[in-house]
Amino acid sequence: MKKTLLAILLASTAFVAQAAENLIIGTEATYAPFEFTNDKNEIIGFDIDVINKICDEMKVSCKIVNQSFDGLIPSLKTRRIDAAIAGIDITPERQKQVDFTKIYYDDSSIQFITLKDSLTTLDQLKGKRVGIQKGTTYSKYINEKYPDVKPVSYDSYQFAFLDLKAKRIDAIVASSFVAGDWLSKDADIMPLSDKITDREFFGEGLGIALRKGNEQLLDQFNQAIDKLKANGELDAIYKKWFNQ
């Protein structure tokens, strides 16, 4: 009986140890160049390279799952995922709900884009329809800075982009690098603004979100980020995706 009990305890311990070595990472793969799918339906991008390197440093196996952006924090809270990386700005409002790693990307600027031969200045946005992604900090920014604008929320920016092309909306606001990626690939769109930085709304940079209270895992992530910064690998990933 004691041997049987011991065997059960050992098996249980082994299972816990194994589980701790496997993490589920949530993302939202329509946000190039941070995360998106290629023609093979593989999730790639800056964030994906970063999280893969972090998992290598932590010596854990990480499975990346794709879901809606506004569902990432709820998925963390309900333990469907262990961490989330998806161009998530570290803001005071989000810090009330989840813990964040150290900043791994420090440009939290946005940009408005529109179709050519359409709007030319932000002053013309009054009464216009502007596409934003659900769960981002841009909705609050639009409501407070441009109260006469009609925000249109999308589960994914790819649908906002299609609606812009079809003239169902008048502009889109997104991360400046995401907007820059669209501008470099489509001659029919143009910038409606320069880069806009406002730390009150967009925080000081991007972090990886984890459930509150998991200090051990948070420390492991931070140590890995520190190492990638120190050995130049984080900078190399940045240059790969942003050509800077």
Side-chain angles (χ1 to χ4, degrees):
M1 182 68 176
K2 288 182 179 179
K3 289 183 179 180
T4 303
L5 180 59
L6 179 61
I8 292 172
L9 289 172
L10 288 173
S12 175
T13 302
F15 175 77
V16 171
Q18 184 179 10
E21 295 175 359
N22 295 274
L23 300 176
I24 299 176
I25 311 295
T27 194
E28 196 275 318
T30 64
Y31 206 57
F34 290 95
E35 44 270 318
F36 59 103
T37 54
N38 61 16
D39 55 5
K40 297 178 182 178
N41 207 35
E42 299 166 329
I43 302 175
I44 62 172
F46 171 74
D47 280 348
I48 306 307
D49 283 357
V50 169
I51 195 64
N52 283 332
K53 280 290 184 182
I54 286 173
C55 291
D56 287 345
E57 288 294 335
M58 292 169 56
K59 295 181 172 55
V60 297
S61 173
C62 291
K63 178 183 178 182
I64 298 172
V65 296
N66 190 15
Q67 64 171 89
S68 66
F69 185 84
D70 62 340
L72 290 172
I73 288 179
S75 289
L76 276 172
K77 290 181 174 181
T78 55
R79 299 179 179 271
R80 287 195 291 269
I81 59 176
D82 300 296
I85 184 168
I88 307 173
D89 297 315
I90 302 174
T91 65
E93 185 175 348
R94 286 177 177 152
Q95 286 176 309
K96 294 175 183 176
Q97 303 182 71
V98 295
D99 286 335
F100 280 99
T101 63
K102 294 180 177 180
I103 293 170
Y104 67 90
Y105 175 89
D106 61 6
D107 184 354
S108 290
S109 60
I110 64 166
Q111 190 169 23
F112 289 82
I113 62 168
T114 189
L115 289 175
K116 285 186 175 177
D117 303 319
S118 179
L119 309 175
T120 55
T121 69
L122 290 177
D123 293 335
Q124 296 174 315
L125 281 177
K126 185 176 181 179
K128 302 298 184 181
R129 294 163 61 85
V130 177
I132 57 174
Q133 187 175 38
K134 291 179 182 177
T136 64
T137 54
Y138 309 148
S139 179
K140 183 179 179 182
Y141 178 80
I142 290 289
N143 289 335
E144 294 195 20
K145 297 293 185 179
Y146 299 92
D148 296 321
V149 164
K150 299 175 182 177
V152 182
S153 298
Y154 292 88
D155 290 329
S156 165
Y157 265 122
Q158 67 187 83
F159 300 121
F161 190 76
L162 291 173
D163 274 2
L164 177 66
K165 296 279 287 185
K167 299 184 178 181
R168 288 188 285 266
I169 58 175
D170 303 287
I172 295 174
V173 60
S175 158
S176 58
F177 265 113
V178 173
D181 187 67
W182 291 334
L183 289 165
S184 69
K185 294 177 179 177
D186 195 309
D188 292 332
I189 61 174
M190 60 173 283
L192 185 58
S193 72
D194 294 328
K195 291 182 181 181
I196 300 170
T197 300
D198 192 324
R199 296 193 183 281
E200 178 186 352
F201 291 94
F202 315 130
E204 299 183 2
L206 307 184
I208 301 167
L210 293 91
R211 268 188 304 280
K212 274 197 169 295
N214 197 339
E215 298 298 332
Q216 183 176 358
L217 187 61
L218 180 63
D219 186 57
Q220 287 179 300
F221 268 89
N222 282 334
Q223 286 185 38
I225 290 171
D226 284 342
K227 187 168 182 180
L228 294 179
K229 287 179 178 179
N231 64 19
E233 291 192 70
L234 186 60
D235 187 54
I237 296 171
Y238 180 88
K239 290 177 179 177
K240 170 185 173 181
W241 289 104
F242 301 114
N243 297 315
Q244 293 189 18

